[in-house]
Amino acid sequence: FYVERAYRTPDYGTWERGSKYNNGSTEIHASSIGLAKSSLESINGVNLFGEQGTSSSVIYVDIDAHNRNRTIFESILPRESNSKNTDAALLSTIGWPAFALHEEDIKNRTISKVLRKLKGKYGIKRYLRDGYRTVLEDNKRRFYKPAEIKLFDGIECEWPIFYIMMLIDKVFQHDKDGIEYYSQLIKPLLYDSEEGKLVPKFFYVPKENIDEEKRVPGSMTRYPSAEGTTDGTFMLGQSVYFISQLLVNGLLNVNDLDPIRRHLPASERPKVNMRYSSFQITPPDLVIQVILIAESARLQQLLATYGIQTQTPHQIEPIQIWSPKELSKAYEYLGVNRKLGLTGRPKRPFGVLSTSKIYRVCGSTVLCYPLVFEVSDFYLAQDVPIMLDDLKNDLAFLSKCWKLSGRPTFCMIIRENNVRGPNFEEFLNLLAQFKRGDVDGIRVRLGKLQSLITSGCVEHLDFLDKIGDPSDIFVPFEEKTVGASFKSLTEIPKLPELNDATLRYNEQDLMRKANWDLIHMLKLTDGIYSQSQILRVLFQREGANFWIEGESIVQKMEHLIHLAGLYKEWSVVRLQSALLHKTVDSLAPSVTTILVRGKQVTVGVYGHEEEVLDKPVSPGFLQDLIFKICLPYNIQEAVLQQELILGIGKLIATSPDLFDGILKIRIGWFVRAMRFELEQDDEGIELHDLSPNDVKGMLIAVLVRNVYEADLRTPLQKRQLDGALNRVPKDFYDRVWSILEKTPYGIKVAGYLLPQQPTLSDMTMYELNFSLLVEQMLSKIVDPAYRQIMVETFMVVSTMLERNPEASFDQAVNMDKIIMDAFEEFQRDLSKSEGHEKQDEMTKFYSTPPNVKHGTSRYLTKAVINNLLEGEMKFVSDDMCSVS
């Protein structure tokens, strides 16, 4: 339970120093996640007491948790953490002994980066600016002071042990040239002692050589540590060296060193046993088994008239169908030990990988349906198109991420509500794809459950054998008992027309009315929107304990949410759901999914305060935060932002390229971007009027068009969208770093000063923490288009400094002043050519392309030159500033 959360748990890393700054702060490390992933794969299904052990000593691994560790590990690589661009700890993670990675492309990029950044003549550095055991480190202090790590830049100790680990890796790869190369690198580093060759722990730069080593990296002689030379043996290094020599000389076989064959792809490893699920690679010809379960006999009859064959819960007896919540309840018994005071598995939800196994429970067979078919308290379940889209996403995820022996078995629950309304044809089309055996390129096999069990992945939950009668604890999915059958859609009752469908009350008038007047009005109207207006006033006035004719106001609001969903009145659904503080399932995991991909998330209504989420949080904390920060300004956004977090979490996992250049995902600003998009259509539609599926489609459209259709937009539209999405050019943060190097007094944006020191001393150009610091500065800007002009201004200033390396700013560079100077010049030219009066509103400036004859880049460049002539820049030579 502890290890499976590694993907979201900041820790102190392999070197037990936390972040690179060694100031007591923790962060998420790829090496830690990789070791956890390997551990989960290695221990799954193992009986701790071997053949003599009982079912109580078998280790079970949650495949969804394993997959989260795997995907996050691979997405962080080749980076180690936010502060460490790379780290030698990754060598022992992706190679021997963990062998956490078998994707050759990522593995090669990771090793290449370690060697490119950290390799020296005497070994490999642990990470950049690592002060451990350098002569400048104060070993009396546990933590470093701010900016202290700058002292260690270029003089980090070099460790021969990492050469030895690379040598072992080459032996596993049967790479003779690599074996010879690293053998030759290691040989001169060994210390000749009376006992034989010793491996020094590290090599350091002596104090008298530090300045010259920093000036000419790699030029100075380094000296070996006392450990591994004159003061005993460096046991770890010596052990690894002995192992390498045994391998190289053929005295030890790689399978002796790696008896569980971690170095092989999962499908080639020996199976621990056949009773419990085991890992393998995803087969290229994977087929997903699909079972269609109709919730009632009459629904089954209706679907049969369209050629769709289903089964009912009665027809598959004695096999039971469980919800994901029942499966979660079963796993709460895993690991319970009253003698040791241990409770079982925490109540964590299961994903589609776990629900695609077939389970044996106390002699019974159990099939689970995925979360997408769960009847949820949140309104997304009322939107059939989004349910179908999520279903397809689940199938795509299974086809990509299934890594167990046996086929996945996908149980689809079809409810009568699914066939009501205008989406039935779309629903039928999906079922027809199932019948054909292909859903958007994913191979599926439709069949009866009894015939598909033998080819499925079966998991034995032996730890439940002593709980007694499972029917006393678990509640299976029951068949719905209904009246007469219906043979076609025309026989399904249609929704009645509402008399007051378009009725809207004046909000201020309602606020002035007494409760009894409002209750009387509520009785007289059947309009969904008008009922919503009245219930909102009563709820905000009296709270959740108010009763209306024997029914609580909460019950009336719940009923209205259901009714509004049927009539597709999504604005009402969102308003009432937000008032009742409803929270979508999997919200906190979605935030975590975004964070571990190196992004930050902010919640809050556009134009108002925002809260930054930079580490995983609990569901309760997240719920309280969203409602606290959104409700005062826009009630519906409290639930709309939840929809977006959920959608972004899924998108970033499947299409991460859509978020290239976006480091901080500001949900309120994403809402603003989507409203920009709606404004282009000019149909007067509000975002909260759209169905959840349309909102999701709008989110995707905004991201896709911003990436792939940018040329089809006006300069104003492009700036508004880029600014609202917080997207920046590929090398933007590197360019800000280069500007900061030339500005001793820092950079000022919207009143926020980014100081040169200790920023440059604490950080390096390519580390993620610096980029996040720049985003913190840019987040002070309140207008999306202005933010984008600011980004363009940074690019112009950077280009100027790049072409004039002798130039630097002699005071804090005021980026807002540069923009306003450019705007003033733009207005003067506009006034001369078109006779426009001077104004403060910058829309015309935003609407001007950057790179044309009279484009914004021209004015920004001129403004930078003017700032130079006014004395805000200085030159180390007499040459004039070069513009082109």
Side-chain angles (χ1 to χ4, degrees):
F1 309 148
Y2 162 72
V3 174
E4 72 180 30
R5 303 304 282 271
Y7 73 95
R8 51 161 293 171
T9 306
D11 67 358
Y12 287 96
T14 301
W15 314 123
E16 300 183 352
R17 289 197 161 197
S19 71
K20 179 177 69 178
Y21 318 122
N22 188 27
N23 57 8
S25 61
T26 56
E27 57 185 359
I28 288 173
H29 291 87
S31 56
S32 299
I33 301 172
L35 287 167
K37 169 190 178 284
S38 289
S39 303
L40 293 171
E41 290 171 356
S42 302
I43 204 71
N44 184 46
V46 170
N47 195 314
L48 297 182
F49 295 130
E51 293 179 4
Q52 286 73 42
T54 66
S55 60
S56 62
S57 51
V58 173
I59 300 293
Y60 288 81
V61 169
D62 173 7
I63 183 178
D64 287 292
H66 164 267
N67 182 69
R68 284 190 284 271
N69 280 285
R70 183 187 64 80
T71 53
I72 299 310
F73 173 56
E74 292 174 7
S75 67
I76 294 177
L77 292 176
R79 195 165 41 86
E80 161 71 339
S81 66
N82 281 8
S83 70
K84 296 168 194 150
N85 194 250
T86 187
D87 193 310
L90 292 169
L91 296 177
S92 58
T93 306
I94 62 179
W96 177 78
F99 296 107
L101 188 67
H102 291 87
E103 282 69 17
E104 287 301 314
D105 177 54
I106 308 175
K107 181 177 180 179
N108 291 337
R109 281 193 292 120
T110 302
I111 292 175
S112 173
K113 192 172 188 180
V114 169
L115 297 177
R116 189 172 70 252
K117 299 279 188 181
L118 305 177
K119 181 174 174 288
K121 278 194 296 189
Y122 299 86
I124 295 174
K125 300 170 182 178
R126 300 196 307 182
Y127 53 89
L128 295 176
R129 297 189 175 178
D130 172 25
Y132 178 74
R133 299 296 295 273
T134 61
V135 295
L136 297 183
E137 184 182 54
D138 182 355
N139 57 18
K140 296 185 180 69
R141 280 188 286 114
R142 181 180 177 186
F143 298 128
Y144 294 158
K145 296 175 183 176
E148 189 174 357
I149 62 170
K150 177 70 173 174
L151 296 173
F152 317 123
D153 193 10
I155 61 163
E156 305 91 337
C157 293
E158 294 179 359
W159 299 61
I161 187 175
F162 297 119
Y163 277 171
I164 302 171
M165 300 195 86
M166 286 299 298
L167 171 60
I168 293 174
D169 199 47
K170 296 302 178 184
V171 175
F172 274 97
Q173 294 173 25
H174 307 291
D175 179 354
K176 290 183 179 179
D177 291 340
I179 293 170
E180 177 63 22
Y181 174 74
Y182 282 102
S183 295
Q184 292 304 317
L185 285 179
I186 294 164
K187 194 178 293 183
L189 305 179
L190 300 176
Y191 179 78
D192 287 313
S193 72
E194 293 178 3
E195 289 80 20
K197 302 284 187 183
L198 293 181
V199 179
K201 186 173 183 178
F202 54 81
F203 285 79
Y204 66 94
V205 179
K207 194 166 189 176
E208 62 272 16
N209 291 350
I210 285 176
D211 291 341
E212 188 61 21
E213 175 67 18
K214 286 191 172 188
R215 193 179 72 82
V216 186
S219 61
M220 293 290 99
T221 301
R222 289 171 177 254
Y223 293 90
S225 60
E227 299 99 322
T229 54
T230 59
D231 186 21
T233 306
F234 172 40
M235 299 297 283
L236 176 61
Q238 202 65 37
S239 304
V240 173
Y241 176 66
F242 286 157
I243 290 170
S244 74
Q245 295 311 295
L246 290 170
L247 287 168
V248 169
N249 290 286
L251 300 171
L252 185 69
N253 186 278
V254 290
N255 292 333
D256 299 326
L257 185 58
D258 179 28
I260 59 172
R261 313 293 196 270
R262 286 286 316 157
H263 66 285
L264 297 175
S267 58
E268 298 176 26
R269 296 174 201 152
K271 299 287 186 290
V272 177
N273 60 59
M274 301 305 293
R275 186 167 179 80
Y276 307 104
S277 59
S278 57
F279 289 100
Q280 63 167 32
I281 59 171
T282 305
D285 56 348
L286 180 71
V287 175
I288 300 171
Q289 302 182 157
V290 178
I291 315 292
L292 301 182
I293 302 292
E295 74 167 345
S296 68
R298 73 175 181 182
L299 177 59
Q300 182 186 41
Q301 292 168 7
L302 170 65
L303 293 170
T305 63
Y306 293 91
I308 306 298
Q309 300 302 313
T310 61
Q311 293 175 280
T312 64
H314 282 328
Q315 290 173 336
I316 65 167
E317 289 177 350
I319 300 172
Q320 296 181 11
I321 298 173
W322 281 8
S323 71
K325 289 180 180 175
E326 294 303 305
L327 183 63
S328 183
K329 192 195 298 181
Y331 269 85
E332 288 177 43
Y333 290 89
L334 175 59
V336 171
N337 190 309
R338 290 184 179 85
K339 289 180 181 177
L340 295 177
L342 296 176
T343 55
R345 184 183 190 275
K347 197 168 187 177
R348 296 173 184 165
F350 281 106
V352 69
L353 294 172
S354 295
T355 56
S356 296
K357 297 179 186 178
I358 297 166
Y359 292 90
R360 304 281 191 194
V361 180
C362 303
S364 300
T365 301
V366 172
L367 182 67
C368 285
Y369 59 82
L371 201 60
V372 67
F373 301 119
E374 187 81 297
V375 176
S376 169
D377 187 44
F378 202 72
Y379 56 82
L380 292 183
Q382 293 180 262
D383 189 27
V384 172
I386 204 167
M387 184 266 283
L388 296 179
D389 192 47
D390 287 345
L391 184 157
K392 289 181 179 180
N393 288 337
D394 276 356
L395 292 174
F397 178 78
L398 272 176
S399 69
K400 180 183 175 185
C401 298
W402 183 258
K403 294 188 181 293
L404 294 180
S405 52
R407 289 176 175 175
T409 305
F410 189 84
C411 175
M412 179 176 181
I413 303 293
I414 308 175
R415 304 177 195 273
E416 291 189 357
N417 278 345
N418 299 148
V419 303
R420 289 190 169 96
N423 304 112
F424 182 61
E425 189 174 338
E426 190 179 345
F427 194 81
L428 270 184
N429 287 339
L430 176 64
L431 296 180
Q433 288 183 60
F434 281 145
K435 198 174 176 183
R436 289 195 299 270
D438 186 292
V439 179
D440 296 346
I442 298 159
R443 294 178 64 193
V444 299
R445 182 188 172 196
L446 204 58
K448 292 193 173 183
L449 175 55
Q450 290 85 342
S451 64
L452 296 179
I453 287 178
T454 54
S455 53
C457 173
V458 179
E459 189 74 85
H460 292 78
L461 302 188
D462 294 335
F463 58 87
L464 292 173
D465 285 353
K466 295 178 182 176
I467 64 169
D469 186 354
S471 63
D472 295 337
I473 300 170
F474 305 112
V475 181
F477 179 70
E478 299 282 354
E479 185 166 327
K480 187 176 181 181
T481 306
V482 290
S485 64
F486 37 69
K487 294 185 174 60
S488 70
L489 284 175
T490 56
E491 296 181 29
I492 300 176
K494 292 186 178 177
L495 294 171
E497 286 190 15
L498 302 175
N499 295 323
D500 299 330
T502 58
L503 178 61
R504 302 283 192 276
Y505 290 120
N506 181 287
E507 299 272 346
Q508 296 303 316
D509 289 345
L510 290 178
M511 296 287 288
R512 288 190 285 267
K513 291 187 180 296
N515 285 356
W516 56 82
D517 286 335
L518 292 172
I519 293 170
H520 181 67
M521 292 169 68
L522 189 64
K523 282 188 213 171
L524 296 179
T525 181
D526 66 355
I528 289 172
Y529 196 92
S530 51
Q531 289 183 58
S532 175
Q533 289 178 294
I534 295 168
L535 287 172
R536 172 185 174 179
V537 173
L538 288 171
F539 184 81
Q540 290 181 324
R541 184 184 292 173
E542 301 296 338
N545 295 322
F546 188 64
W547 287 73
I548 303 171
E549 295 185 338
E551 191 177 23
S552 75
I553 191 170
V554 171
Q555 289 173 313
K556 287 212 172 276
M557 293 166 75
E558 293 279 11
H559 173 72
L560 186 62
I561 290 170
H562 177 71
L563 189 66
L566 291 175
Y567 282 90
K568 312 303 178 192
E569 291 281 358
W570 296 109
S571 176
V572 171
V573 170
R574 291 189 175 96
L575 177 66
Q576 298 295 313
S577 296
L579 289 171
L580 292 177
H581 284 216
K582 288 187 178 288
T583 311
V584 69
D585 291 327
S586 303
L587 189 63
S590 295
V591 170
T592 301
T593 300
I594 299 168
L595 294 178
V596 295
R597 280 169 171 78
K599 313 289 186 185
Q600 285 189 343
V601 182
T602 71
V603 293
V605 176
Y606 170 78
H608 298 281
E609 63 176 323
E610 294 174 284
E611 281 285 340
V612 178
L613 298 170
D614 55 7
K615 58 179 177 292
V617 293
S618 68
F621 175 86
L622 189 55
Q623 178 187 19
D624 293 343
L625 174 64
I626 288 176
F627 284 101
K628 181 189 82 172
I629 206 160
C630 291
L631 280 185
Y633 309 108
N634 188 313
I635 295 174
Q636 286 148 321
E637 270 202 39
V639 289
L640 185 64
Q641 293 205 11
Q642 293 182 49
E643 291 180 49
L644 291 189
I645 290 171
L646 203 65
I648 291 168
K650 291 175 180 175
L651 267 180
I652 205 168
T654 55
S655 305
D657 53 306
L658 291 178
F659 297 88
D660 287 348
I662 304 175
L663 193 56
K664 183 178 281 189
I665 295 174
R666 302 167 75 183
I667 303 299
W669 282 54
F670 265 60
V671 171
R672 185 71 190 102
M674 293 161 74
R675 289 198 167 118
F676 278 139
E677 194 70 17
L678 278 174
E679 287 165 11
Q680 309 310 318
D681 299 336
D682 201 29
E683 293 179 9
I685 300 173
E686 281 289 338
L687 188 61
H688 50 67
D689 290 329
L690 299 178
S691 72
N693 192 55
D694 288 341
V695 167
K696 184 179 177 181
M698 177 68 69
L699 169 66
I700 295 170
V702 163
L703 288 165
V704 168
R705 290 171 190 169
N706 183 244
V707 173
Y708 300 111
E709 300 174 15
D711 295 341
L712 302 179
R713 300 176 175 275
T714 67
L716 175 62
Q717 290 170 345
K718 188 174 186 313
R719 285 184 174 121
Q720 285 176 330
L721 206 53
D722 277 336
L725 294 176
N726 285 213
R727 198 187 295 278
V728 298
K730 187 176 182 181
D731 59 347
F732 173 72
Y733 303 111
D734 300 349
R735 285 174 173 265
V736 177
W737 177 275
S738 66
I739 295 171
L740 197 57
E741 287 182 315
K742 299 290 186 76
T743 55
Y745 297 95
I747 300 169
K748 188 180 284 187
V749 170
Y752 180 96
L753 180 68
L754 177 64
Q756 188 190 63
Q757 296 299 342
T759 308
L760 297 188
S761 298
D762 266 352
M763 299 178 178
T764 52
M765 178 187 284
Y766 302 109
E767 80 178 63
L768 191 56
N769 281 345
F770 175 70
S771 305
L772 292 169
L773 196 60
V774 174
E775 279 301 326
Q776 184 179 329
M777 172 177 69
L778 293 177
S779 68
K780 307 302 175 184
I781 299 171
V782 296
D783 177 26
Y786 184 80
R787 178 197 152 98
Q788 198 55 28
I789 286 287
M790 180 64 72
V791 169
E792 293 172 30
T793 306
F794 270 109
M795 300 298 281
V796 168
V797 173
S798 166
T799 302
M800 293 278 291
L801 292 175
E802 190 179 309
R803 292 173 180 171
N804 301 273
E806 71 285 354
S808 66
F809 287 90
D810 64 357
Q811 56 185 287
V813 56
N814 189 331
M815 301 298 290
D816 297 287
K817 182 177 184 301
I818 292 173
I819 292 174
M820 294 317 297
D821 289 351
F823 178 55
E824 291 278 340
E825 183 71 21
F826 171 79
Q827 289 205 99
R828 278 195 289 272
D829 285 358
L830 203 63
S831 178
K832 289 174 189 174
S833 61
E834 300 180 18
H836 282 279
E837 290 187 13
K838 185 178 175 183
Q839 51 187 294
D840 295 331
E841 212 272 323
M842 298 178 72
T843 303
K844 275 196 173 293
F845 191 61
Y846 298 153
S847 302
T848 304
N851 300 314
V852 293
K853 187 175 181 182
H854 291 282
T856 52
S857 294
R858 172 180 178 270
Y859 292 101
L860 290 170
T861 302
K862 194 171 181 181
V864 174
I865 294 173
N866 287 339
N867 275 270
L868 157 68
L869 296 175
E870 288 169 12
E872 289 207 2
M873 291 180 74
K874 65 180 180 183
F875 292 89
V876 294
S877 73
D878 295 331
D879 294 337
M880 186 52 190
C881 177
S882 170
V883 179
S884 60

